[in-house]
Amino acid sequence: MTSEMSGSAPELEAEGGQVRASTLELFFDLVFVFTITQLTHAFTHHPGWGELGHVALMFALIWWMYSGYVFLTNEVAPNNSARRTFLLFGMFGFFVIAIAIPSAFGGSGLAFGLGYLVVNIVHSVMFATSGGAGASKAMWRLAPLNTTSALLVLAGGLTHGGWRAVLWTVAVVVQVVSPYLIRAEGFAVRPSHFCERHGLVVIIALGESVVAIGANLTGMDLTVGLVATAGLGLTLGYVLWWAFFGFDDERGEQALAALPGPARIRPAVFAYGYALFVLVLGIILTAAGISMTIAHGNEPASTAAALALSGGVAVFFVGQALFRLVLGIPRAWLRLVGAVAVLATAPMGVAWVAWGQLLLMMLVAYGFVIADDLLRVRAGERSAYILSPMVMGHRVFRDGDS
């Protein structure tokens, strides 16, 4: 932890914000991640380019408001009954959205829009009434744009056919350009809490790949081959975890902490809003690919399943490359090369067997991650998982001394 981060914590707490995630926020995240489960299942049941577009569009809308709630609790600690009650209403809105996802482009579009409106209203009201003076003023500037996007989503839920996709796409465009249309002064980013919250939701999303493995093995005879294929899927989840949390999670927090307060807003939005959207979308596709192949690992995969599996990991790497690029973390290009290499393994599943693709893809992805780690270590970088001998010796001494 940098001196700036540790030194600024008491000041930030005095301002009413948070420096660590609360248990209520973790509960909130579990409700939000139900939307990820629903998006994964939606693609699994109707794989194809059209459904991919629907999943990406719905997730873009949902992710914008989830990230907005991270900004909210970063500024407004849920430390009294009124605030906790408001967050409960927000959780209910996300739950309604999640329930509506499977047929959001059919009969439940209105429910999706109403849930989204509830999430938006709770966010705006809490920020405007409970945030600090600067944050409240900033929220009054942002609220009209957020409300516009929410009304577009609601209007889309009232329409049918292609108009729903058009209106929801316009809502996403409004969200994407909103940081350019308002002044960001007033919002605060407390890196320790902000990065922890986003990191936690990435971990929980990765858990969806584990759920996909277990859910699709229910009732099947556990042969040696099936257990081995499940082990490959679990290892792939570990590779993705390590790819982000081995170094980049810490580097992201340090990069934000090194910036003066007002200068953190845009990088925070671009890295943890836009780039992590791509990264988590990759996790959703990977989980869907595992779900479609794990129970039939000894058979050729369908084109949709093979592309979801390899393409999901490739999209994850692209998102991580964008994350690095925004925050100035070295070797974004190496993740892009890794994305191309991983995507190239898709034909293996179609031409041979699904477990062969899974094995080759896992080896290729892990190879690029390890190569990147070696370059970092040689450059003198360290993380919580990779410590210098001096630091390790100091910890062993202290543990023995205590």
Side-chain angles (χ1 to χ4, degrees), residues 15-286:
E15 293 173 357
Q18 298 190 93
V19 293
R20 287 298 171 195
S22 66
T23 53
L24 179 59
E25 291 172 279
L26 300 182
F27 183 36
F28 185 99
D29 287 350
L30 290 175
V31 175
F32 165 76
V33 169
F34 180 45
T35 64
I36 293 180
T37 300
Q38 291 286 77
L39 290 167
T40 301
H41 290 174
F43 183 81
T44 301
H45 294 155
H46 304 283
W49 292 111
E51 189 64 23
L52 175 60
H54 289 171
V55 166
L57 181 55
M58 288 187 288
F59 184 54
L61 293 167
I62 295 166
W63 181 257
W64 176 262
M65 286 313 304
Y66 170 77
S67 192
Y69 271 76
V70 175
F71 270 97
L72 170 64
T73 53
N74 195 245
E75 172 72 20
V76 180
N79 54 10
N80 61 47
S81 296
R83 293 177 179 181
R84 289 191 290 269
T85 301
F86 267 108
L87 279 182
L88 180 62
F89 280 113
M91 292 163 63
F92 175 73
F94 273 116
F95 193 71
V96 171
I97 290 171
I99 294 173
I101 282 173
S103 56
F105 281 85
S108 61
L110 179 57
F112 187 98
L114 288 172
Y116 199 80
L117 185 62
V118 169
V119 167
N120 189 282
I121 291 173
V122 170
H123 177 265
S124 296
V125 170
M126 281 193 69
F127 229 132
T129 60
S130 301
S136 295
K137 290 180 180 179
M139 192 61 220
W140 282 116
R141 295 193 296 269
L142 179 61
L145 292 172
N146 276 354
T147 303
T148 298
S149 67
L151 292 176
L152 285 167
V153 174
L154 181 60
L158 292 169
T159 62
H160 301 281
W163 279 109
R164 183 167 299 174
V166 170
L167 289 170
W168 287 5
T169 300
V170 175
V172 171
V173 172
V174 171
Q175 295 169 347
V176 170
V177 302
S178 60
Y180 298 98
L181 301 179
I182 67 165
R183 301 192 313 276
E185 293 86 354
F187 288 116
V189 173
R190 295 159 178 85
S192 56
H193 172 270
F194 186 84
C195 299
E196 182 182 19
R197 280 294 304 282
H198 281 97
L200 287 172
V201 83
V202 171
I203 291 175
I204 299 173
L206 283 170
E208 177 59 29
S209 63
V210 179
V211 172
I213 295 171
N216 286 276
L217 297 183
T218 302
M220 298 191 66
D221 294 330
L222 295 182
T223 64
V224 173
L226 191 60
V227 172
T229 304
L232 289 176
L234 188 61
T235 304
L236 177 62
Y238 166 79
V239 170
L240 297 184
W241 170 84
W242 179 255
F244 184 73
F245 290 97
F247 281 96
D248 284 13
D249 181 48
E250 288 185 38
R251 293 296 175 268
E253 182 177 341
Q254 292 168 1
L256 284 184
L259 297 172
R264 293 174 184 167
I265 306 302
R266 287 278 177 86
V269 171
F270 293 162
Y272 289 89
Y274 302 163
L276 277 200
F277 159 74
V278 179
L279 185 147
V280 178
L281 180 61
I283 296 175
I284 293 172
L285 293 176
T286 302

